[in-house]
Amino acid sequence: MTTVATAAILQALPDPVLLIDGKKTIVSANDAAKNLLGAQIEGRSLVLALRQPEVLDAVNDVLGGEDHRSAHISLMTSVRRSFDIQVTTLEAAAQSNARAVLIMHDITAARNAEQMRADFVANVSHELRSPLSSLVGFIETLRGPARDDESARDRFLDLMDSESKRMARLIDDLLSLSRVEANEHILPDGQVELRALLADVTDALSMRAN
C-alpha cells in the first residue's frame, strides 16, 4: 500500500490514530489525533506526545514482539475524557517505517453512563431502604407496645400505607426507566398531545404534594 493510500485511510478514520516506528517516534497521525494531541505531533517521540505509562508499556510490548495490547487512560482536555487504547503490530513496509498502529477510541460517554447508572442504583437503594425500615419499625411497634392501642394502630397504619405507596412509586419509576432503556434504539414515530401530557404531570405532582 502506498504512503498516499495509507494517509487517506488514516484521515477517513474518526478515532485518533498514530503510526509509530521502532524508536517510538510518531511517523504519521490523522487529523483526529492532531486535534487531540497537537498539530505538530508527527516526528515527535510518543513519550513526549502522550505521557501515559500504560500506553508506553503497551507500545513497548508490541514493538517487542506481541501482536496486540490494550490500555485505558484518561486525558484532561477542556473536560476529562476516557479512551480505550488499542496497539497493534504492523508488518514492515517499504513505504513506511511504522511498526505499530495506536488507535484511541473515546469512551467518555459510555463511562459517564456507567457512572450515572451506578449513582442511580445507589440512590434508589437508599430511597427504598428508608420506607422499608419505617415499615419494619411500624410492624414491630404494632406487635409490641401498640398492640392494644387503637389510636396508635390507626396512625401507624396510615403511615405504613404512605410508605408502601412511596415504595410503589419508586418501583414504577424503575420499571419506566427499564422500558426506556429497552427501547432507546427505536426512534419514536407517534405524536404526543403536550397539553394533555402536561395536565397529567401537573395532576400527579399535585397529588404527591398533598
Side-chain angles (χ1 to χ4, degrees), residues 1-19 27-34 42 90 93 95-96 98 101:
M1 184 178 295
T2 66
T3 302
V4 174
T6 301
I9 293 174
L10 289 181
Q11 294 304 335
L13 296 175
D15 291 331
V17 180
L18 305 175
L19 296 184
V27 297
S28 185
N30 65 355
D31 286 344
K34 293 176 181 178
E42 290 181 339
L90 288 177
Q95 296 86 1
S96 173
V101 57

Side-chain angles (χ1 to χ4, degrees), residues 18-186:
L18 305 175
L19 296 184
I20 304 163
D21 68 10
K23 297 180 179 180
K24 294 192 288 292
T25 299
I26 300 171
V27 297
S28 185
N30 65 355
D31 286 344
K34 293 176 181 178
N35 290 336
L36 178 66
L37 302 175
Q40 308 300 323
I41 59 173
E42 290 181 339
R44 295 184 62 193
S45 170
L46 180 67
V47 177
L48 298 177
L50 193 59
R51 296 183 177 90
Q52 296 287 333
E54 299 91 340
V55 175
L56 298 178
D57 288 342
V59 171
N60 284 333
D61 289 342
V62 169
L63 293 178
E66 293 194 22
D67 291 333
H68 178 265
R69 281 291 307 275
S70 61
H72 299 283
I73 64 169
S74 294
L75 293 179
M76 180 57 73
T77 55
S78 56
V79 296
R80 182 168 293 279
R81 298 168 64 183
S82 298
F83 290 90
D84 174 55
I85 306 296
Q86 301 295 327
V87 185
T88 305
T89 187
L90 288 177
E91 294 294 335
Q95 296 86 1
S96 173
N97 294 323
R99 294 295 179 268
V101 57
L102 186 154
I103 302 175
M104 306 176 65
H105 180 57
D106 193 335
I107 58 172
T108 305
R111 285 290 177 88
N112 289 343
E114 289 176 4
Q115 186 60 51
M116 289 176 63
R117 184 187 297 273
D119 292 342
F120 176 77
V121 171
N123 290 334
V124 168
S125 298
H126 174 74
E127 291 296 327
L128 285 174
R129 188 178 294 112
S130 296
L132 185 59
S133 298
S134 298
L135 287 174
V136 171
F138 294 146
I139 292 172
E140 290 177 348
T141 302
L142 288 173
R143 285 177 171 175
R147 179 188 297 272
D148 300 320
D149 189 333
E150 185 174 347
S151 62
R153 183 173 64 248
D154 291 341
R155 185 171 70 256
F156 284 148
L157 286 174
D158 287 340
L159 292 172
M160 291 170 68
D161 179 66
S162 175
E163 293 297 323
S164 64
K165 289 178 179 177
R166 177 184 171 191
M167 292 178 66
R169 288 195 298 269
L170 287 170
I171 293 172
D172 286 342
D173 290 343
L174 281 174
L175 293 175
S176 296
L177 178 63
S178 178
R179 286 192 293 270
V180 169
E181 290 184 338
N183 298 317
E184 63 182 355
H185 62 287
I186 301 175

Side-chain angles (χ1 to χ4, degrees), residues 205-210:
L205 293 177
S206 298
M207 292 177 61
R208 293 189 182 187
N210 296 329

